[in-house]
Amino acid sequence: MNNIVVAKFGGTSLADASQIKKAAGIIKANPDRKFAVVSAPGKRNSNDAKITDMLYSMHRQFTEGRQEVYAETVNRIAVRYRDIISGLGITFDLDSELEAIREKLSSGVSQDYSASRGEYLNARIIAEYLGWPFVDASELIHFREDGSFDGAATYRSAGEKLQALGHAVIPGFYGSMPDGSIKTFSRGGSDITGSIIACAVDAGLYENWTDVSGMLCADPRIVKSPKVIESITYTELRELSYMGASVLHEDAVFPVRKAGIPINIRNTNSPDDKGTLIAASLPKGTKRRAVTGIAGRKGFCSIRVEKSQMNGETGFGAELLRIFSKNDIPFEHCPTGIDTISVIVNSALFDARREEILREVKNRLEPDFITIEKNLAAIAVVGEGMVHMKGTAAKVFTALAGAGINVRMIDQGSDELNIIVGVDESDYEAAVNALYSAMID
Ligand code: ASP
């Protein structure tokens, strides 16, 4: 590992010339920032359109032969890039690039190719503005025949090419298939490219520049101005992301986590803010609260199965869970009592297979009662600090009781990393606020 910093900029950070200038200022401010991975221009305001969305429309309109709307969409895309080019004061032959895209469309190119042009053009333009080399992601990021990411091929070619260049601008979001055609990651996938490039150049840090000053301790749609998480471990991040907190594309975490490279989420519009540092373990002496963050989701239900003497029956739980897995329903939690066992699952998935599941449970397990409780929300209170602190659970339940909230399920992960409580969906927002005030504020 060395001092190299890979800086990835998201769509809002590059939405127009003034945003690109900010990003360029950030890149140049630290000589260790040697590789910039860029998204396509995103929304300039809430009513605006993302270039990537326009490119998907353009592709569809062309394939459906709707020439007039197609031409309008191409024009809107061209205007966005032209504004950027003139705002940056560079020369760039946009017309030839648009012509090349049109030719490819005529030859029946894939939707992925069209979508990838947002990042491709933006990276070319930004490279020109910075005076840095541009390296096409199709030469660096490789997919296998079955569409899965080919780490071995990617790290070999990207590592060599990029180390030789020393610095470069790279488009995010896409790579190439063995036949050379373009394939994209899923939406938001430039985060993944940044993570892969950080591994390929053995970076010391992966910076992810976006439009917020880091990950928040709770959902800002529920809690008013929640605090920013200054530092968080990969394990905590996984727990919070699973429960709905989002700051990065989920698949972006795996490459850097494996390589032990920390991620720093930063704000392009407020570059002095420290943002959130995500690492395998946090530096000794980092001051932390017992609870790092709170996240949750609605839309669960509980299937409670009761049978006297269940405790003495071997294989009861295994058989119950097998019935769910056979119906392709993953279970989220499974609290047990002496003669009861509950399975907490996604309501929508359960509803689709409800009859089959209940029939099988009755036939195979012969329970005394089956009770279904709907409209459950699960809230995870997450923090590695909990292991060392007494009274965290007491504080959680006192806060909920104080807010008059009935706890319908409790689950503490065996690693003492989280406490998960199930509450009625109608109590969800109040519960999150009560927990935030008690544990974080
Ligand atoms: N531009 C792509 C999208 O809008 C990828 C990205 O920005 O990460 O999904």
Side-chain angles (χ1 to χ4, degrees):
M1 202 174 283
N2 46 51
N3 290 337
I4 293 177
V5 176
V6 169
K8 180 259 165 180
F9 290 86
T12 50
S13 298
L14 307 168
D16 58 21
S18 70
Q19 287 298 92
I20 292 177
K21 284 181 184 167
K22 283 187 199 167
I26 290 166
I27 294 169
K28 293 273 164 106
N30 178 354
D32 289 334
R33 291 187 182 118
K34 296 202 185 297
F35 298 99
V37 174
V38 302
S39 280
K43 292 184 181 189
R44 293 162 294 184
N45 54 60
S46 54
N47 300 321
D48 201 15
K50 282 176 147 199
I51 290 282
T52 309
D53 289 328
M54 292 199 249
L55 288 165
Y56 280 116
S57 307
M58 174 198 83
H59 187 88
R60 209 174 331 106
Q61 290 154 357
F62 184 89
T63 338
E64 290 167 2
R66 293 154 62 205
Q67 282 301 325
E68 224 167 278
V69 263
Y70 160 78
E72 275 167 29
T73 309
V74 173
N75 191 39
R76 283 198 293 136
I77 295 169
V79 168
R80 286 285 301 270
Y81 280 114
R82 257 185 215 117
D83 281 353
I84 290 176
I85 293 163
S86 66
L88 295 178
I90 53 167
T91 41
F92 184 81
D93 188 358
L94 185 67
D95 291 333
S96 308
E97 293 293 341
L98 294 175
E99 189 43 43
I101 296 174
R102 195 189 162 90
E103 270 169 30
K104 283 276 194 183
L105 280 167
S106 305
S107 71
V109 80
S110 71
Q111 171 182 267
D112 280 16
Y113 170 84
S114 297
S116 74
R117 295 305 87 186
E119 271 70 13
Y120 167 82
L121 289 173
N122 221 20
R124 294 268 324 260
I125 291 168
I126 294 166
E128 182 66 37
Y129 181 62
L130 287 171
W132 279 21
F134 160 86
V135 185
D136 198 338
S138 60
E139 292 171 30
L140 304 175
I141 309 276
H142 299 285
F143 294 97
R144 295 188 195 92
E145 205 65 67
D146 65 1
S148 61
F149 168 63
D150 188 344
T154 299
Y155 293 129
R156 201 179 325 114
S157 73
E160 274 168 25
K161 280 197 186 97
L162 297 177
Q163 311 270 12
L165 278 171
H167 62 308
V169 180
I170 302 148
F173 193 34
Y174 70 95
S176 59
M177 293 291 287
D179 67 359
S181 62
I182 297 289
K183 176 176 163 50
T184 64
F185 290 110
S186 56
R187 295 300 303 267
S190 299
D191 283 345
I192 310 174
T193 312
S195 179
I196 291 169
I197 297 299
C199 295
V201 300
D202 199 17
L205 182 65
Y206 170 31
E207 285 179 343
N208 192 292
W209 290 85
T210 174
D211 54 3
V212 287
S213 289
M215 191 171 173
L216 300 172
C217 293
D219 186 342
R221 289 165 302 184
I222 301 174
V223 173
K224 200 163 164 260
S225 320
K227 293 194 167 122
V228 169
I229 300 176
E230 282 172 26
S231 49
I232 181 168
T233 64
Y234 287 125
T235 324
E236 291 172 323
L237 176 72
R238 168 99 183 99
E239 295 280 338
L240 288 172
S241 312
Y242 182 71
M243 287 305 276
S246 82
V247 65
L248 271 183
H249 191 297
E250 222 196 320
D251 296 343
V253 176
F254 298 108
V256 277
R257 178 177 186 170
K258 203 163 153 223
I261 302 169
I263 308 173
N264 192 188
I265 310 284
R266 300 284 295 267
N267 189 348
T268 304
N269 301 322
S270 196
D272 292 334
D273 292 352
K274 287 204 175 75
T276 300
L277 184 71
I278 308 165
S281 59
L282 300 173
K284 275 224 154 61
T286 310
K287 267 190 76 194
R288 313 191 71 205
R289 291 181 206 91
V291 170
T292 305
I294 296 167
R297 278 193 277 147
K298 291 185 180 178
F300 294 107
C301 67
S302 149
I303 297 92
R304 184 169 180 276
V305 181
E306 196 174 333
K307 185 174 185 181
S308 66
Q309 310 297 322
M310 177 198 290
N311 200 28
E313 217 174 291
T314 39
F316 193 95
E319 182 59 22
L320 180 63
L321 294 180
R322 197 194 59 79
I323 294 171
F324 281 90
S325 81
K326 210 181 108 196
N327 283 283
D328 273 335
I329 302 185
F331 80 96
E332 306 282 336
H333 305 283
C334 186
T336 54
I338 297 174
D339 287 334
T340 62
I341 176 165
S342 300
V343 186
I344 317 282
V345 294
N346 176 301
S347 278
L349 294 180
F350 175 68
D351 285 343
R353 312 284 303 175
R354 186 187 164 105
E355 298 316 318
E356 293 89 322
I357 292 174
L358 293 183
R359 195 178 330 111
E360 258 196 272
V361 172
K362 278 183 199 147
N363 292 345
R364 303 187 71 91
L365 296 169
E366 298 175 343
D368 299 333
F369 302 104
I370 305 178
T371 327
I372 297 166
E373 285 193 63
K374 310 250 320 177
N375 308 325
L376 261 183
I379 305 170
V381 179
V382 175
E384 286 188 355
M386 275 193 233
V387 188
H388 309 289
M389 291 206 195
K390 292 193 186 90
T392 316
K395 251 175 136 181
V396 164
F397 296 109
T398 308
L400 293 171
I405 290 159
N406 181 25
V407 176
R408 290 171 54 189
M409 182 209 58
I410 304 170
D411 189 359
Q412 175 164 29
S414 50
D415 43 12
E416 271 203 60
L417 177 70
N418 60 20
I419 297 173
I420 295 173
V421 290
V423 299
D424 201 279
E425 281 183 348
S426 59
D427 286 333
Y428 175 65
E429 284 79 9
V432 171
N433 270 303
L435 289 169
Y436 179 84
S437 311
M439 313 305 295
I440 292 176
D441 205 8

